[in-house]
Amino acid sequence: METFQDILQAWPAQRRTDAVQAATEEHVFSALQKNILQPEDFLALLSPAASPHLELMARRAHELTLRFFGRAVHIFTPLYISDVCTNQCRYCGFNAKNKQARRHLSVDEAAAEAKAVADLGFQHILLLTGDARHLSSPEYIAAVARRIKPWFASVGIEVYSLTTEEYAMLVDAGVDSMTMFQETYAPELYGWLHPAGPKRDYAFRLNAPQRAAQAGMRSMGVGALLGLDSFEQDAFATGLHAWWLQRRYPGMDVSVSIPRICPHEGSFDVPHALDDRHLVQYVTALRCFLPRAGITCSSRESAFMRDHLLPLGVTRVSAGVSTAVGGRVTEDAHNPGQFEITDGRSLEQMVSALAGMGYQPVLKDWEDPVGAWA
């Protein structure tokens, strides 16, 4: 069976570098005139040749966003239920070597936190855990999802890589979406960034979205942590991943997340810090390449940046975010969180801001047609 790993191997780093360096203004203009772009066109839009034409790219991206999404913006919130982790990711606040307070919620505690989130008006929730199967097992995640599903239209997960059978178990428990950050698509860099822990298995993580799709997930999100590798390399690989998933599983909702590294517990020097101009170039290039894909911008970015990325292609935003475990109703939640958030707007503030800019805040855009959770 073909996997995305097979596709990515056909686009080695040197091929991408050569294509980016060879791109010209003519390639950029040609890509912006097409209704259906190929990977080569996407690379041209990510290249230095496209940089002087961001305004033109922005107009095209805006047209496509209005055509396929109107002025609707989906709102969700994350819920961290455990930060105990066995990985030693160099860039992450959950790194097992970081000496910090850790917290793992019981199913009852997680349900209480989720109920507090639901009472605020959220309909889409994303469950997050560290990678520690002895505590945050797939069975534990399924138990939490099953408890909280009656309160939400959609329950998603952003957890460690699972097997097809484990994803199927979560689907049966009410989970309908998953997000998987490859972090970086460069195998050697990935190995250095993950010196120990189960996350070190590059291929198992890379092919996780395909296993989730085979298990029946309705919605899928992929992304790289921008700043780990050069802009063109990880930006292209992420877009290619989403493009392949759309073609392989046309009935599935596919989205791309665009996170830049934020400050966190521990220390890590960002090797390829991404400036605002390149982030704008990435979003507009993504929208042109993937006109029907959602683009998610989290609270890592400032309110100013998120508001200004909406017309360029962003269709999903978080609100009311805390990256710490517990704290809404659970006592003694003093853990520092996975990373520092920049946009701290509540759901009410986000809804008001979107409406003030002429957008339609969407709290619910899907419901289980079977009605099993009613």
Side-chain angles (χ1 to χ4, degrees), residues 268-328:
F268 179 75
D269 293 328
V270 181
H272 298 277
L274 196 71
D275 61 25
D276 291 349
R277 186 174 180 84
H278 276 99
L279 183 62
V280 168
Q281 184 175 355
Y282 183 32
V283 171
T284 55
L286 275 174
R287 175 54 65 225
C288 293
F289 183 45
L290 303 169
R292 293 177 175 83
I295 299 179
T296 302
C297 188
S298 75
S299 57
R300 290 172 179 265
E301 296 296 336
S302 68
F304 176 87
M305 177 58 73
R306 294 215 288 174
D307 290 350
H308 283 77
L309 288 176
L310 290 171
L312 307 182
V314 166
T315 58
R316 303 183 182 191
V317 295
S318 54
V321 174
S322 169
T323 65
V325 178
R328 291 179 170 89

Side-chain angles (χ1 to χ4, degrees), residues 247-260:
R247 291 161 65 91
R248 181 84 183 194
Y249 304 100
M252 189 173 61
D253 175 34
V254 177
S255 62
V256 177
S257 293
I258 55 169
R260 292 190 283 187

Side-chain angles (χ1 to χ4, degrees), residues 1-8 206-207 210 244 248:
M1 177 185 297
E2 182 187 69
T3 68
F4 177 65
Q5 191 171 12
D6 301 321
I7 303 300
L8 192 61
L206 183 66
N207 294 321
Q210 183 172 8
W244 181 82
R248 181 84 183 194

